[in-house]
Amino acid sequence: MAVLADKCKDILVTLVDIDKERIKAWNDKDLSKLPVFEPGLSEIIKRNRDKNLFFSCEIAKTIKEADMVFISVNTPTKRSGFGAGYASDLKWVESSARQVADYASGHTIVVEKSTVPVRTAELIQNILSESEDNSIISSNKKSFSVLSSPEFLAEGTAINDLENPDRVLIGGEDNDAIKSLSSIYERWIPANKILFTNVWSSELSKLTANAFLAQRLSSINAISALCEATGAEIKEVSNAIGADKRIGKKFLDAGPGFGGSCFQKDILNLVYLCRYYGLEKISNYWEQVLIVNNWQKERIASLVVEKLFGTVTNKKIALFGFSFKANTNDTRESPSISIAKDLLANGANLMIHDPQVLPSQIEKELSSQETKRFSDKKGGWCFNRDLNECVKDSDAIIFLTAWDEYKKLDFKKFSQLMRKPSWVFDTRKIISKNSLKGTGIKFWQVGMGNCNPL
Ligand code: UGA
C-alpha cells in the first residue's frame, strides 16, 4: 500500500489495524522503529506518510469513506479443530469481511489480498451479499464487488518486486471493478503484465506459485545431500541445470531448508484442498516437499552433532543468522528455529547473533525450550551483538542466514578465539574456502562434496 500511495499521489491510502501499538509504530517519527524491516520501505513511508498515506485505528470511518478495500490480514495454519495442521484459519478474513459489510456505504470494491484457500472469495461474497440485501430498504444502500488479487512480493526485495512485478493477477467477474483495479496498477505496471482470470484461478495460482517455488528448493536441497555423499558440488550442478532456459537460474540456492510465513502454510493448504477433493495421491505428492524440507533442517542439526564427536552437550556453538532469510527481521518458520531447538535438545550452549532480529523475538520462537540460559546440565542460549564474543571459546560457528556482514569475516582472528578442533558449518554457501585457508578450521558447506583439507 505504501508503494501504491507512492505511485498514485492522487489516491488516498489509509491502512487500518485493530492493533493500536502497531499503528502507533507505523506512525513513529523515528523511522527505524517501523514494525517491519524492509530495505527501501522507510524512505517510501517518509515521502508519503501524512500526505496521501495514513495509518489509523479508525476502522469504521475509513471503510465508510473507501471506494476500494484491500483485505490483507494473516491466514495462519489452523492449530485446532477441523483441518488442524493443514487448513488456513480464516477467522480474520471473515471478521474483516463482516466489518466491511457493516461499515461500507455506496458501492465498494473489496479486494482479497491475503493468501487464501480456493473459494474464500465466496465466503467474503456471501457475507457482503447479506448486507447488500439488508440495505435495500435502508437509506444507506450498499453494493459490493469482490476481486481476488494475490500478492507475489518476497520479503527483503518487496519494494522492487512491487515496482517491477513479473505479473499482477486480477480475478473476478465484474468488469467495472476489474477495470478500476487494473487502472491503478497500470499507473506503473505495463498493461501486458496484468493478467485477468476467474476468481478461483487467481486464488489457486497464488498457492500453486508458492508450491512450485518451494518444490524447487526441496529438489535442490535433496540434490545437495547427494552431492555431499558423492563428491559433486551443488553450485556446479545448479549452474549446469539452470543454464537450461526451461529450468532457469533463479531459486536454485541450496540451504538449510526454506522458511518464511508462506511456503509451508500454502503447501499445507494445497495438501488439505487435494484431500478434501479426494485427490489423495496428489496431496501426498505435495506433502513430500515439506517432508524433504524438514529432513534438510534435521540432517543439518544432526551432522553438526556428528562432526563434533557425536555430542554437543555443554559445547558452545555460535549460531549466526536467525531470520528466515537475509534483509528481513521476520523469523516465521525460520530454519534457524528448528536447528537451534535440535541443538539445544542435545545440550548445546548457543550464542545467537542476528543483525536485525531482536532477542525478545528469539525468546518467543524458542520459548518451548525449557532452559534459556547457559547451565551445566542442559543446553541454553544467549544473544550477543558482538560476533567475537559469540565465537570466543566456541567449538563451531553455524551460518544460517546469508546476511552480507557474514560474507567478509576474519577467520584468522576467529580461529584464535575458538576451541580446537574448530568447525565452520556454512548452510548458505556464503563463506569462501579461501577465507579459511591457514586457520586450521574444519569446514562443512551445504552441497559441497569435498570441503577439506584446506
Ligand atoms: C515467498 C515467494 O517467493 C513470494 O513470491 C510470495 O509472494 C511470498 O512467499 C508470499 O506468499 O507472501 P518469501 O517467503 O518472502 O516469498 O521469501 P523467498 O525469497 O521466497 O524465500 C523463502 C525461503 O526460501 C527462505 O528461507 C529463503 O532463504 C529460501 N530460499 C530461497 C533458498 O533456500 N534458496 C533459494 O534459492 C531461494
Side-chain angles (χ1 to χ4, degrees), residues 115 151-155 206 210 213 217 221 250-263 266 324-325 335 428:
T115 301
E151 188 47 66
F152 294 99
L153 69 82
E155 290 180 33
K206 169 68 195 192
N210 274 354
L213 289 168
L217 297 180
N221 286 338
K250 291 184 182 165
F251 241 72
L252 280 180
D253 290 331
F258 57 76
S261 64
C262 306
F263 285 172
D266 292 352
F324 81 96
K325 63 189 270 194
R428 293 284 187 178

Side-chain angles (χ1 to χ4, degrees), residues 204-217:
L204 186 58
S205 300
K206 169 68 195 192
L207 292 186
T208 308
N210 274 354
F212 268 57
L213 289 168
Q215 180 196 45
R216 224 171 135 85
L217 297 180

